[in-house]
């Protein structure tokens, strides 16, 4: 396997990389020699990683290379979009690129741009407008992954506007379209939907979904998922005036973290201490 093939393999699993591994991957491309060996898709993936690590100079070189080797209108559009973001382009400039992409029948690109514009517009009426426009394009393109992100964004916007039932509807649609094989994504979606049910006073539904989320978190040995699910179950126990059950859930969080050699989150310790003092 060549160095570039190794890099492609690692980019696929970016979510599993720690910072040291990510920095090492970036160092492979820092001197510019390997950049000439990669295609547009990989270069743009590396742009995201370089941006997260604050490697601005490398971001610029990767974007220049991605644009040079792009060989179709959609790749060229993605390069332009990433370059505009890198340069701090205005919202109107990005909207213009989205509109042009839609006219050129590049729905995936246009949807991605309008999704980003929606994120830039959070807190205003425009957020929902552009999120819905993005979702329409994703549905037309049958972009499953995009629709999953789209429903999450629309749920967030609806919740911020106080429309909890609409938010729950989008969270349910998001869960419904996530494949059973995508266990991590389903774990997160179940926890989000459980929180929505809890907010509406639907405690039994919330508990059932948190238990399902916890089952997936345990299967994946995902500490963050275990924390979220058991914390939520502790909340439900306290709401139901079951402090002993809440203590069981919180103690289990502490046990799992300690067995994994991880630092127990301070809020967990504080909450256990508070419950203990009340007994």
């Amino acid at each position: 396997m060549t160095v570039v093939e190794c890099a492609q393999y690692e980019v696929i699993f970016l979510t599993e990389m720690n910072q040291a591994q990510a920095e090492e991957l970036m160092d492979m491309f820092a001197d510019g020699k390997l950049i000439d060996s990669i295609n547009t898709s990989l270069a743009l993936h590396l742009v995201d990683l370089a941006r997260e690590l604050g490697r601005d100079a490398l971001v610029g070189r990767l974007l220049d290379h991605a644009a040079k080797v792009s060989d179709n209108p959609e790749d060229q559009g993605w390069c332009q979009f990433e370059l505009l973001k890198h340069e701090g382009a205005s919202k109107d400039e990005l909207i213009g690129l989205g509109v042009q992409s839609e006219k050129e029948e590049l729905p995936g690109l246009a949807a991605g741009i309008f999704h980003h514009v929606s994120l830039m517009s959070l807190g205003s009426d425009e957020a929902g407008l552009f999120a819905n426009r993005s979702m329409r394009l994703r549905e037309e393109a049958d972009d499953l992954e995009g629709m999953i992100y789209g429903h999450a964004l629309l749920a967030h916007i609806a919740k911020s506007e106080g429309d909890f039932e609409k938010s729950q509807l989008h969270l349910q649609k998001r869960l419904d379209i996530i494949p059973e094989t995508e266990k991590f994504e389903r774990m997160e979606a179940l926890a989000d939907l459980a929180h929505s049910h809890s907010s509406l006073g639907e405690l039994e539904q919330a508990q059932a979904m948190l238990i399902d989320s916890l089952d997936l978190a345990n299967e994946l040995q995902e500490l963050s998922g275990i924390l979220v699910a058991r914390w939520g179950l502790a909340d439900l126990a306290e709401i139901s005036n079951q402090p002993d059950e809440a203590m069981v859930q919180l103690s289990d969080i502490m046990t799992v973290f300690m067995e994994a050699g991880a630092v127990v989150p301070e809020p967990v310790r504080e909450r256990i201490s508070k419950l203990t003092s009340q007994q």
Side-chain angles (χ1 to χ4, degrees):
M1 182 178 289
T2 67
V3 172
V4 172
E5 287 172 334
C6 288
Q8 288 175 317
Y9 181 82
E10 288 194 74
V11 168
I12 293 172
F13 295 99
L14 289 181
T15 56
E16 299 179 9
M17 296 173 64
N18 59 38
Q19 183 162 348
Q21 291 170 325
E23 292 282 5
E24 183 179 355
L25 180 60
M26 290 296 94
D27 289 341
M28 291 167 57
F29 295 92
D31 62 7
K33 294 178 182 178
L34 284 176
I35 290 180
D36 291 338
S37 304
I38 61 178
N39 60 23
T40 299
S41 177
L42 178 55
L44 292 178
H45 276 92
L46 290 169
V47 163
D48 289 336
L49 183 57
R51 185 180 290 126
E52 289 178 15
L53 296 173
R55 307 282 284 264
D56 289 342
L58 183 55
V59 168
R61 291 201 297 274
L62 286 165
L63 286 173
D64 286 343
H65 172 75
K68 288 176 184 177
V69 299
S70 59
D71 57 4
N72 63 71
E74 184 165 14
D75 279 353
Q76 291 163 5
W78 280 112
C79 291
Q80 187 178 356
F81 175 42
E82 291 296 338
L83 183 60
L84 285 173
K85 288 197 295 181
H86 181 61
E87 294 175 343
S90 69
K91 186 162 66 175
D92 286 344
E93 289 178 288
L94 293 171
I95 292 170
L97 179 60
V99 170
Q100 184 62 35
S101 300
E102 191 171 0
K103 288 180 179 177
E104 294 176 0
E105 298 185 348
L106 300 171
L109 173 60
I113 294 170
F114 290 137
H115 184 102
H116 182 76
V117 171
S118 176
L119 290 172
M120 294 174 68
S121 307
L122 289 176
S124 72
D125 292 340
E126 288 188 335
L129 176 70
F130 285 107
N132 279 302
R133 187 169 182 175
S134 174
M135 178 61 82
R136 174 179 56 80
L137 289 164
R138 295 191 192 282
E139 288 174 342
E140 289 176 2
D142 198 25
D143 175 7
L144 182 62
E145 183 176 1
M147 286 188 282
I148 291 170
Y149 288 124
H151 281 303
L153 176 57
L154 286 166
H156 174 79
I157 293 170
K159 182 180 178 181
S160 70
E161 295 173 346
D163 193 339
F164 296 104
E165 291 184 356
K166 184 177 180 180
S167 176
Q168 186 179 104
L169 177 65
H170 282 294
L171 290 174
Q172 183 65 60
K173 287 182 177 179
R174 171 194 177 200
L175 177 62
D176 290 344
I177 62 176
I178 297 176
E180 293 287 340
T181 54
E182 301 299 325
K183 295 182 179 181
F184 181 85
E185 288 74 13
R186 290 188 64 83
M187 176 196 76
E188 290 189 321
L190 281 162
D192 288 343
L193 187 54
H195 181 72
S196 175
H197 279 291
S198 178
S199 298
L200 291 172
E202 299 163 351
L203 303 187
E204 289 186 9
Q205 296 95 319
Q207 183 182 47
M209 289 182 174
L210 283 172
I211 290 172
D212 287 344
S213 180
L214 179 59
D215 287 343
L216 289 171
N218 285 327
E219 181 182 345
L220 297 170
Q221 297 183 318
E222 182 61 49
L223 290 180
S224 63
I226 293 170
L227 171 62
V228 169
R230 288 204 179 277
W231 185 277
L233 289 168
D235 285 342
L236 295 180
E238 288 202 73
I239 292 171
S240 303
N241 196 28
Q242 296 177 307
D244 289 344
E245 176 60 23
M247 181 66 81
V248 168
Q249 297 296 338
L250 296 168
S251 297
D252 283 347
I253 294 174
M254 181 177 287
T255 299
V256 169
F257 271 74
M258 293 175 66
E259 288 178 348
V263 177
V264 177
E266 191 59 31
V268 175
R269 293 186 181 276
E270 292 174 356
R271 193 169 176 187
I272 289 175
S273 178
K274 184 178 179 181
L275 278 173
T276 301
S277 67
Q278 293 173 349
Q279 291 180 347

